Amino acid sequence: SLGLPPGGRAQASARAAQAPPRAPRPADFRRGSRTEDAMAHVTFIARVLDGLILVETADHSSQIHPQQKQQAKQLLRRLMNMPARCTVEGAGDLVFHYTMVDGVCYMALFDKSYPKNLAFAFLEDIYRLFQEELKREFGTGSVDYRSHIETIEKPYYFIKFDRQITKKKAEYRDPKSSKALARLNENLTEASTIMRANLDEIFKRGESLESVGRKANDLRDESKKFRSMTGQLSFATMVQKYGVPVVIGLVVVLVVCFKFWKS
């Protein structure tokens, strides 16, 4: 008992019931009810060419803020000039790990505390599973899977593959489990050899590249217009120079042909 009279306790209870809910903290946007070292919060498989998402799988025990998903999609659209394997920081206490193979990017959002080698071992497993999915979808033999992927027009083409990603994530949820440790021993990736990058720097560089790309496209369009105008001027000059002699020559030929035909 707090030593309050009955009336005081009632008033305190009423004030507590009427109190506004606590404002959400930054950690509330993503944590939800999960273990401290939960697995990949969201996993993407996307086309490197343009960032088209082929499949996306979120961990329902994590509440990722929409802004972090938007950052992931922006990052996927800027992969063309990025290293094949990279860790991208700048998403709070989360980090993006990705690997690119044959025009496809495998990326996931992890806690910074999750072992990097184990994160890339997970991505390698997803890559192998996806290769089997491509065989089922497009056949085996001398099939160019990359060309098939580059002709896909609609996003989430492999949405059913998210079940396999979810199953594989369960094996990596606890980084101290026997399965995770065994996979870590099998993985030969050296963490120090994986490139690191910052999200803000990538976005700034991407804006610069887009600006350069727009200027290059404008210059190419102007060059096409100039070549077209040059061709038209060349034709007009040629007509002006040789038009009259050509017309006279045609008239002479027609007259000769006409006389030859009458004779």
Side-chain angles (χ1 to χ4, degrees):
S1 174
L2 299 177
L4 293 174
R9 285 196 296 270
Q11 291 175 0
S13 300
R15 285 196 298 271
Q18 295 174 1
R22 177 180 63 83
R25 298 171 183 170
D28 296 336
F29 286 127
R30 62 172 191 81
R31 289 198 174 273
S33 58
R34 60 180 178 84
T35 60
E36 184 179 355
D37 285 319
M39 236 318 283
H41 302 293
V42 59
T43 306
F44 298 92
I45 298 179
R47 186 167 61 195
V48 174
L49 184 65
D50 54 4
L52 180 76
I53 296 175
L54 304 174
V55 60
E56 173 185 345
T57 304
D59 189 339
H60 297 297
S61 64
S62 303
Q63 297 178 3
I64 300 299
H65 194 272
Q67 182 181 0
Q68 290 169 325
K69 279 194 175 183
Q70 186 62 31
Q71 287 176 336
K73 293 176 181 178
Q74 290 176 350
L75 178 59
L76 289 171
R77 290 194 291 268
R78 288 170 166 80
L79 293 172
M80 286 297 292
N81 298 305
M82 294 287 291
R85 297 165 68 86
C86 190
T87 293
V88 182
E89 299 177 345
D93 57 350
L94 300 178
V95 63
F96 292 104
H97 297 300
Y98 76 79
T99 182
M100 293 187 286
V101 185
D102 295 332
V104 178
C105 176
Y106 306 85
M107 186 176 78
L109 183 65
F110 295 83
D111 286 323
K112 282 186 177 179
S113 58
Y114 195 86
K116 182 189 289 189
N117 277 26
L118 201 56
F120 278 93
F122 166 73
L123 294 175
E124 288 175 6
D125 280 352
I126 298 302
Y127 159 73
R128 281 191 283 267
L129 288 172
F130 192 62
Q131 294 307 298
E132 296 301 318
E133 183 70 14
L134 291 176
K135 291 177 183 178
R136 286 188 289 269
E137 180 69 21
F138 301 119
T140 58
S142 57
V143 180
D144 185 358
Y145 298 124
R146 183 167 185 164
S147 63
H148 281 288
I149 289 173
E150 290 180 352
T151 58
I152 293 174
E153 297 181 356
K154 295 183 179 180
Y156 303 101
Y157 184 89
F158 292 95
I159 189 61
K160 293 181 181 179
F161 185 70
D162 67 341
R163 300 172 187 172
Q164 296 192 53
I165 296 177
T166 301
K167 289 180 181 178
K168 183 57 64 175
K169 283 168 65 175
E171 298 179 13
Y172 286 84
R173 184 170 296 280
D174 180 6
K176 298 177 183 178
S177 68
S178 57
K179 282 189 176 181
L181 290 174
R183 187 66 186 90
L184 187 59
N185 290 331
E186 295 171 4
N187 182 31
L188 300 178
T189 301
E190 178 61 41
S192 61
T193 65
I194 297 172
M195 296 287 292
R196 302 181 71 88
N198 182 274
L199 202 59
D200 293 334
E201 292 177 358
I202 292 172
F203 289 166
K204 288 178 182 178
R205 185 168 67 244
E207 291 172 359
S208 300
L209 290 173
E210 288 173 1
S211 176
V212 171
R214 284 194 297 269
K215 290 179 180 178
N217 290 333
D218 292 342
L219 185 61
R220 186 165 55 249
D221 293 340
E222 290 299 325
S223 177
K224 287 181 180 178
K225 290 179 182 178
F226 179 76
R227 285 198 299 269
S228 176
M229 291 179 61
T230 302
Q232 292 175 2
L233 288 173
S234 298
F235 180 75
T237 302
M238 186 177 64
V239 168
Q240 185 176 5
K241 184 176 181 180
Y242 300 107
V244 174
V246 168
V247 171
I248 294 174
L250 288 174
V251 170
V252 171
V253 169
L254 288 174
V255 170
V256 171
C257 290
F258 179 74
K259 290 183 175 181
F260 179 79
W261 179 74
K262 287 198 69 176
S263 62

